[in-house]
């Protein structure tokens, strides 16, 4: 390990010792942060996985019944049915702080004019029973899907932060701290050596006298 | 109109009927391993010209649309009684009206959603939807347009457009059926409306719709009184079964019951009503006079397109042959 390019003086030693103290404390703190981030991350990932499976299962069901519905109806009919959106959703984005990672917190607001969230009105003539089912499934999966979006984004942001923290921890642990320690050791040795040299010199001078 | 008025067109229709796809065609398409192979079967049918294009862009809907468009155009040309064809193409006219209204409401361009089938050109319908007046369109169209207009002015609910026009479509169908002056047509349309009402009723009950909603979507032009249907809303689906068992639709309702759960399912009802209607149409095979052969041919063509769409889109999305087969409607040929 390369030592730092510094003059072996007492002054430098004092500075380096101080830096080592800060680095060690910083390392400990960052390590704690990383552990906590990891813990929360794993928890989130588990939840994410579970939710994703659920959402995918429901979406698959919806898409299957949509494929059936679509195959019995003219595509233009279906598009016409949905040409004007029945409901609008507005999104309020908040921020939550997990270990200094700012993650999004989404609040979805459905239009208040619709009394019942599951009530979608459309013409029955150009739709069929399977399309009813499709809508039912999709309406059901919607809140889960939005929650999944929030969790996935959180996971992404946290993964980024974990990587950054890990890099810092490693840099401190494997670069900065060993370098400092080695340089301190070197200066210490150098100083001891020059001290011994001074003593020897003094003894010699005394002998000569 | 006299029975013999249709003689020349009936002969023509009998010739065209030979071009309809048969069960064997469909079976071969079902047995095909892939979408491409299924499309290949169409090379022996009147759809042969589009085969290569479909393989590339998979846009089979446009092919069906062209085919239906041609069929209707031909029928308009050969059949002496235009109201008759207008009646059976009315669904497209109402679809176009819906699109026009939605264009008006959203101020967007939905040009690609039109289906160019019907007695009156879309430009005419558009002008009527915009201004609420027309020199060309008959009163029944204008009644529909104005009803939607006044409802929208009052409530500003875009979804109501569909619902009102669906109901008006049935009313209008009945008016047209009576205008054709042919015996049997009114009865046929009545049957058609009854089937649709049944399907609407079952779907509405499954979705727990409100009485008000059902009041708007059910048509009063069928043979079963609307009040009776609304009363059934208060009971469960078993009551519907019991009620229909006492009507001429006994067989239909019994077949619509799911074997496993013993309940009416919407999918079964849709399936059985389509088939029952086709059964009725098949009676025309033995008729040589009157309008029935033409109507039957039109319906046969529609069903053919429906089945083809089912097979092709089923193949495209990877459904198994059995899954597709159990949904296929009875075909005419």
């Amino acid at each position: 390990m390369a030592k730092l390019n510094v003059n072996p003086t007492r002054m430098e030693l004092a500075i380096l010792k101080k830096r080592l103290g800060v680095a060690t404390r910083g390392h400990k703190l960052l390590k704690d942060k990383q552990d906590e981030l990891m813990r929360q991350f794993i928890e989130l990932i588990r939840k994410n996985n579970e939710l994703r499976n659920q959402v995918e299962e429901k979406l698959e069901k919806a898409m299957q019944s949509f494929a059936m519905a679509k195959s019995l109806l003219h595509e233009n009919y279906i598009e016409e049915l949905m040409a004007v959106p029945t409901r609008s959703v507005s999104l309020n984005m908040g921020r939550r702080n997990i270990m200094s990672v700012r993650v999004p917190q989404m609040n979805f607001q459905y239009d208040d004019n619709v009394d019942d969230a599951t009530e979608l009105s459309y013409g029955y003539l150009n739709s069929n029973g399977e399309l009813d089912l499709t809508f039912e499934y999709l309406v059901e999966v919607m809140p889960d899907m939005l929650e999944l979006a929030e969790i996935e984004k959180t996971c992404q942001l946290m993964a980024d932060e974990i990587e950054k923290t890990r890099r810092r921890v490693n840099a401190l642990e494997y670069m900065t701290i060993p370098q400092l320690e080695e340089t301190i050791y070197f200066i210490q040795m150098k100083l001891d050596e020059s001290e011994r040299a001074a003593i020897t010199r003094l003894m010699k001078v005394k002998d000569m006298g | 109109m006299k029975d013999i008025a249709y003689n020349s067109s009936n002969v023509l229709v009998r010739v065209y009927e030979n071009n309809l796809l048969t069960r064997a065609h469909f079976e071969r398409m079902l047995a095909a391993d892939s979408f491409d192979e299924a499309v290949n079967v169409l090379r022996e049918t009147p759809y042969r010209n589009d085969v290569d294009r479909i393989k590339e862009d998979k846009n089979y809907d446009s092919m069906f649309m062209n085919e239906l468009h041609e069929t209707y155009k031909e029928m308009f040309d050969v059949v002496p009684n235009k109201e008759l064809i207008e009646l059976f193409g009315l669904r497209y006219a109402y679809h176009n009206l819906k699109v026009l209204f939605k264009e008006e409401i959203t101020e967007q361009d939905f040009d690609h959603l039109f289906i160019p089938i019907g007695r009156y050109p879309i430009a005419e319908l558009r002008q009527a939807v915009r201004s609420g007046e027309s020199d060309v369109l008959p009163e029944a169209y204008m009644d529909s347009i104005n009803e939607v207009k006044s409802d929208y002015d009052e409530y500003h609910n875009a979804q109501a457009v569909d619902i009102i026009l669906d109901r008006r479509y049935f009313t209008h169908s009945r008016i047209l059926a009576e205008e054709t002056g042919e015996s049997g047509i009114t009865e046929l349309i009545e049957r058609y409306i009854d089937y649709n009402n049944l399907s609407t009723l079952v779907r509405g009950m499954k979705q727990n719709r409100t009485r008000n909603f059902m009041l708007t979507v059910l048509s009063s032009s069928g043979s079963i009184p609307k009040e009776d249907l609304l009363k059934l809303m208060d009971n469960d689906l078993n009551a519907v079964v019991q009620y229909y068992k006492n009507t001429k639709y006994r067989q239909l309702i019994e077949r619509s019951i799911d074997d496993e759960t013993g309940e009416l399912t919407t999918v079964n009802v849709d399936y059985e009503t389509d088939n029952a209607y086709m059964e009725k149409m098949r009676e025309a095979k033995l008729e040589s006079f009157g309008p029935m052969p033409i109507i039957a041919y039109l319906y046969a063509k529609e069903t053919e397109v429906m089945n083809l769409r089912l097979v092709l889109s089923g193949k495209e999305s990877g459904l198994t042959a059995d899954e597709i087969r159990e949904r296929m409607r009875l075909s005419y040929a």
Side-chain angles (χ1 to χ4, degrees), chain A residues 9-189:
Chain A
T9 57
R10 247 169 233 292
M11 181 82 152
E12 211 51 71
L13 183 67
I15 294 174
L16 287 180
K17 274 192 174 161
K18 213 187 243 167
R19 268 179 70 188
L20 181 65
V22 173
T24 325
R25 213 170 70 225
H27 174 252
K28 190 180 169 306
L29 280 172
L30 280 173
K31 187 93 183 166
D32 285 353
K33 176 181 171 184
Q34 188 193 11
D35 289 349
E36 176 61 16
L37 272 175
M38 270 318 257
R39 192 186 62 79
Q40 295 212 16
F41 182 69
I42 288 169
E43 234 169 63
L44 268 176
I45 284 284
R46 279 214 187 100
K47 201 166 154 202
N48 184 12
N49 204 17
E50 213 172 280
L51 203 61
R52 177 158 269 281
N53 285 342
Q54 268 177 29
V55 167
E56 272 176 10
E57 198 179 302
K58 281 185 195 161
L59 271 182
E60 203 179 305
K61 242 172 42 186
M63 289 325 278
Q64 252 171 13
S65 80
F66 181 65
M68 298 284 184
K70 193 183 78 159
S71 54
L72 288 171
L73 291 169
H74 199 298
E75 211 172 309
N76 290 12
Y77 285 166
I78 301 182
E79 249 187 86
E80 184 274 328
L81 275 180
M82 293 294 125
V84 183
T86 22
R87 268 192 289 165
S88 58
V89 180
S90 62
L91 170 65
N92 275 340
M93 282 277 265
R95 277 182 179 180
R96 201 153 53 104
N97 197 335
I98 303 180
M99 304 297 298
S100 81
V101 187
R102 288 177 197 286
V103 296
Q105 192 150 37
M106 305 180 187
N107 283 317
F108 294 95
Q109 278 168 344
Y110 292 98
D111 203 346
D112 292 337
N113 296 335
V114 186
D115 319 326
D116 185 0
T118 54
E119 188 104 342
L120 262 175
S121 52
Y122 46 88
Y124 273 0
L125 177 65
N126 290 337
S127 57
N128 56 26
E130 268 156 346
L131 202 67
D132 294 351
L133 279 179
T134 311
F135 288 142
E136 202 178 294
Y137 290 144
L138 284 178
V139 166
E140 197 184 310
V141 77
M142 200 61 183
D144 284 352
M145 215 153 80
L146 298 178
E147 197 187 333
L148 183 68
E150 185 183 317
I151 292 184
E152 284 223 52
K153 188 70 203 165
T154 310
C155 283
Q156 251 175 38
L157 289 170
M158 281 183 72
D160 276 356
E161 183 67 21
I162 287 174
E163 205 179 310
K164 243 192 271 172
T165 318
R166 204 187 54 216
R167 217 176 283 146
R168 279 192 202 140
V169 170
N170 283 348
L172 282 174
E173 191 171 335
Y174 296 110
M175 291 292 295
T176 319
I177 296 178
Q179 272 174 359
L180 286 172
E181 276 172 346
E182 201 179 315
T183 318
I184 289 170
Y185 180 75
F186 163 73
I187 297 178
Q188 195 89 56
M189 288 297 117

Side-chain angles (χ1 to χ4, degrees), chain B residues 188-200:
Chain B
L188 193 71
I189 290 299
E190 216 174 69
R191 184 178 281 268
Y192 177 64
I193 296 172
D194 283 340
Y195 287 157
N196 273 295
N197 271 346
L198 170 63
S199 162
T200 306

Side-chain angles (χ1 to χ4, degrees), chain B residues 115-160:
Chain B
I115 303 179
I117 295 174
R119 188 172 182 180
Y120 300 98
I122 286 166
E124 206 60 61
L125 297 177
R126 173 171 291 153
Q127 199 240 324
V129 166
R130 284 212 179 124
S131 63
E133 289 165 15
S134 171
D135 305 330
V136 185
L137 296 180
E139 206 186 322
Y141 283 99
M142 296 319 297
D143 286 350
S144 300
I145 291 171
N146 288 327
E147 188 176 335
V148 176
K149 263 182 168 320
S150 61
D151 182 272
Y152 188 73
D153 286 343
E154 200 168 332
Y155 301 109
H156 287 281
N157 179 4
Q159 302 308 316

Side-chain angles (χ1 to χ4, degrees), chain A residues 76, chain B residues 65-66 68-70 72-73 92 95-96 113-118 120 122:
Chain A
N76 290 12
Chain B
M65 207 154 90
N66 288 342
L68 284 176
H69 178 68
E70 287 300 315
Y72 273 94
K73 214 173 101 194
Y92 300 105
H95 166 77
N96 290 336
L113 294 182
F114 289 117
I115 303 179
I117 295 174
Y120 300 98
I122 286 166

Side-chain angles (χ1 to χ4, degrees), chain B residues 200-245:
Chain B
T200 306
L201 180 69
V202 176
R203 287 172 62 188
M205 285 172 77
K206 288 249 178 202
Q207 292 184 314
N208 290 326
R209 295 290 190 186
T210 58
R211 197 186 157 86
N212 257 345
F213 179 81
M214 295 309 280
L215 195 69
T216 345
V217 289
L218 286 170
S219 168
S220 51
S221 305
S223 71
I224 293 175
K226 190 167 166 180
E227 294 75 45
D228 285 9
L229 295 174
L230 283 169
K231 261 185 222 148
L232 287 172
M233 279 289 296
D234 305 328
N235 295 316
D236 60 353
L237 285 169
N238 283 330
V240 178
V241 176
Q242 287 311 322
Y243 180 86
Y244 272 87
K245 272 187 178 170

